[in-house]
Amino acid sequence: MSAQTDKVVHWLLSSLEPRSELFHVGQYCGDWQASTAGRAKASFHIVLHGSMWLHFADGRESIPVSEGEAVFLLRDVPHWLSPDPINPKVGTAAGDQPIERRGTMQPLDESISGSVGLACGFVEFQSIVSRAIVSLFPEILIVRHGDDAYRGIHVLFDLIRVEGQRGIDEPSPLIDRLVELLLFYAVRDAAHHDTVTSGLAALMQRTGFNTLVATIIESPGDAWTTDSMAAFANMSRTAFYKHFSEASGHPPMQFVTLIRMRLAADLLQQGLPISRAGEMVGYQSESAFAHAFKRTMGTQPGAWRRQRDGLSQSAARLH
């Protein structure tokens, strides 16, 4: 991976801001069917022991998932899990019947033959920026045994399994943090193979675009315009706008604003004054910066910093 691509991956990871929410941890036995679909949220399924199949309501090919593997569904994809490799909805009209849930989750016990241990839940991406970035991701990320990332993250599966054995009534809150770490590793591994997002992957594969994106991240305060970016990429304005928008999923200046606001948020969290943070990402007017920040992040810069300061203080009290 080039230094420019690596810089974009680092920015991508720092921009995700995921918050995991465990739904349940335990195991199913016998005939069962489960799903996290229908709640308008991203979700995850981590196989702690045994194996299962991931089925889709649109009839796409079912996916086997085994012990020590994980699935992150980054959209509310109609799906269900089961021990049966045959998709029961193949041949039916999409949406003609609700997803049926069967079986009762029991405490983890690997000694029971045929059981499947699972940790399942939801992931919320907290800022408008992170949700915009995730909108470029494929619907599904899967962590496999054979992935390059697996060598570094297999311990996370072991820790989740240990925490899950504490019981299904009051599962350990540490599982949420471990799932977030697992997602970071999954995204980084996929990004290193240019498969995380069709947008960033396409940008990074195009000569001129990869260096451009890295330079924008490095120098967000420069006077970037569509014309200057087109010149940087040695393209006409019309061709640049078309190809960049198609690749990233955003018009060029909207993409620049996403980068600027994320970097500004980091500067605010470091304690810089609002005016200085705005200046460093290209805004001479504090009011213009505040307007752009609110439009992108969903809140005013001062309110965002106070909220983050409150979260940091709460975390410090927990420790």
Side-chain angles (χ1 to χ4, degrees):
M1 174 178 286
S2 68
Q4 291 88 352
T5 304
D6 199 46
K7 187 177 297 183
V8 172
V9 171
H10 290 165
W11 172 77
L12 175 67
L13 291 172
S14 69
S15 301
L16 286 181
E17 296 188 79
R19 177 173 294 173
S20 171
E21 177 189 354
L22 185 69
F23 181 56
H24 56 208
V25 58
Q27 69 183 32
Y28 289 107
C29 301
D31 180 30
W32 60 274
Q33 189 167 283
S35 178
T36 51
R39 292 175 171 84
K41 294 181 179 181
S43 62
F44 63 86
H45 303 289
I46 300 170
V47 182
L48 303 178
H49 68 259
S51 61
M52 66 170 194
W53 287 81
L54 173 65
H55 304 290
F56 301 96
D58 61 9
R60 77 182 82 174
E61 186 176 357
S62 298
I63 299 173
V65 191
S66 302
E67 178 178 337
E69 299 184 334
V71 175
F72 290 94
L73 298 161
L74 300 181
R75 313 279 192 280
D76 185 12
V77 180
H79 72 280
W80 55 96
L81 318 173
S82 84
D84 192 336
I86 299 176
N87 186 339
K89 294 205 173 214
V90 170
T92 64
D96 64 352
Q97 52 183 308
I99 295 174
E100 178 188 357
R101 293 172 173 83
R102 297 195 305 270
T104 301
M105 181 162 274
Q106 304 293 332
L108 290 173
D109 183 355
E110 297 181 45
S111 67
I112 299 178
S113 177
S115 63
V116 182
L118 293 170
C120 304
F122 305 98
V123 181
E124 176 186 2
F125 298 96
Q126 299 178 65
S127 71
I128 294 175
V129 171
S130 62
R131 291 193 291 273
I133 292 171
V134 170
S135 72
L136 301 176
F137 287 21
E139 290 185 330
I140 305 169
L141 288 179
I142 302 181
V143 177
R144 294 289 194 190
H145 280 295
D147 293 345
D148 290 342
Y150 191 83
R151 290 190 294 273
I153 64 176
H154 65 87
V155 67
L156 293 178
F157 288 95
D158 296 335
L159 290 171
I160 292 171
R161 185 183 298 108
V162 169
E163 293 300 319
Q165 290 170 346
R166 294 176 178 269
I168 61 176
D169 294 328
E170 295 185 10
S172 168
L174 289 177
I175 294 178
D176 287 330
R177 305 292 79 80
L178 294 169
V179 170
E180 290 162 13
L181 288 173
L182 183 59
L183 175 60
F184 280 127
Y185 272 97
V187 167
R188 188 177 70 175
D189 183 62
H192 276 65
H193 293 89
D194 288 335
T195 58
V196 170
T197 81
S198 58
L200 284 180
L203 287 175
M204 302 317 293
Q205 288 167 358
R206 287 188 64 96
T207 302
F209 281 6
N210 55 356
T211 305
L212 170 63
V213 174
T215 303
I216 293 170
I217 293 171
E218 190 172 73
S219 305
D222 287 0
W224 295 105
T225 64
T226 300
D227 287 335
S228 68
M229 286 186 281
F232 190 104
N234 295 314
M235 300 175 68
S236 71
R237 187 185 193 282
T238 300
F240 172 78
Y241 187 96
K242 176 179 183 294
H243 293 300
F244 191 98
S245 299
E246 289 177 349
S248 71
H250 299 276
M253 287 310 300
Q254 187 179 94
F255 188 86
V256 172
T257 299
L258 288 173
I259 293 175
R260 283 173 164 169
M261 293 307 106
R262 174 59 204 177
L263 295 176
D266 291 340
L267 295 172
L268 290 170
Q269 194 164 5
Q270 294 169 22
L272 267 68
I274 293 173
S275 59
R276 179 58 179 153
E279 182 182 348
M280 291 185 69
V281 297
Y283 290 82
Q284 301 305 313
S285 164
E286 184 174 334
S287 62
F289 167 64
H291 178 73
F293 192 93
K294 182 177 181 181
R295 186 176 65 248
T296 304
M297 304 293 283
T299 186
Q300 292 285 352
W304 187 93
R305 179 158 56 192
R306 287 191 297 272
Q307 180 186 35
R308 291 310 169 105
D309 288 344
L311 291 173
S312 297
Q313 291 168 7
S314 297
R317 285 195 295 271
L318 287 174
H319 292 287

